[in-house]
Amino acid sequence: MAKANPLQEQLLKAGLVKKSQVSQAAREQVKARHGKAPVAPTDSQRDAGRLRAEKAERDRALEAERKEKNRLQELQAQVRQIIESNRVKREGESEYRFNDGTVIRTMLVNEVLRRQLAVGSLVIVRLGEGFELVPRAAADKIRERDPAAIVLDNGKDRAATIEPSTGNADDDAYYAQFQVPDDLIW
C-alpha cells in the first residue's frame, strides 16, 4: 500500500475519514503519478485540436487550388507549343476579316489561305495578343486543351449546326434557295 501523507494520517486519527477513503485517495495519487488513468482533454487541448483540423483543411484547399493553377498553366503551355510548332506562314495582301467576340479583326492572307479558311482546313487561333493560322489537326488538339483559344473555325460540324430561324417558315423556305458563300469578302 502507498504510504499516506501526514495530513491523511491526522485526518484518520481524528476520525474524520475512514481507512478505505485514505487508501482510495492513495491509489488515485499513484495512478495520477504514473499516468495510467485516462485524462479528459482540457478546453485548451480541444481548441488546439480544432485549430489543427481547420489548418489542415485550409492547407488541403490551398494545395488543391495550387494544383489546379499548375494544371491550367501546363495546358496553356501545351497550347502555346502546339500553335508555335504548327502555325502556317501568313502572306498576301488581301484582307480577311473575322469576329473576335464583339470586335472585328483583320488578317492579311493570299487567295490560297482564304480558300483554306473558308472550307475549314485552316483555323484562326489566339496566341497571346495576336492571332495565328493552324491546320485542322492542330486545332483539334488545341480545342481539347483550351476551347477559348479557337477564334474562327469554319469547318466545325457544318452538318450539325442548325440555321437560325426568323420565325416565318415561308420566308425561310424562299431564302433557303440563295446560298451565301463561305468565302464572302466583307
Side-chain angles (χ1 to χ4, degrees), residues 85-146:
S85 64
N86 292 300
R87 66 176 146 196
V88 175
K89 183 177 178 186
R90 293 185 306 203
E91 52 190 34
E93 297 176 2
S94 177
E95 292 182 344
Y96 185 82
R97 292 185 179 87
F98 58 95
N99 289 336
D100 178 22
T102 59
V103 180
I104 297 175
R105 305 284 183 177
T106 302
M107 180 182 290
L108 294 177
V109 295
N110 59 23
E111 288 304 314
V112 174
L113 295 176
R114 179 182 297 281
R115 280 193 299 275
Q116 290 176 341
L117 280 166
V119 297
S121 61
L122 285 181
V123 176
I124 299 176
V125 295
R126 183 182 322 279
L127 179 63
E129 295 295 319
F131 302 95
E132 295 295 333
L133 298 174
V134 295
R136 159 114 354 249
D140 292 339
K141 291 178 186 178
I142 293 169
R143 183 175 283 114
E144 291 172 4
R145 290 163 177 82
D146 184 13

Side-chain angles (χ1 to χ4, degrees), residues 159-176:
T161 58
I162 299 172
E163 300 266 338
S165 175
T166 60
N168 188 344
D170 295 334
D171 287 347
D172 288 345
Y174 174 74
Y175 287 114

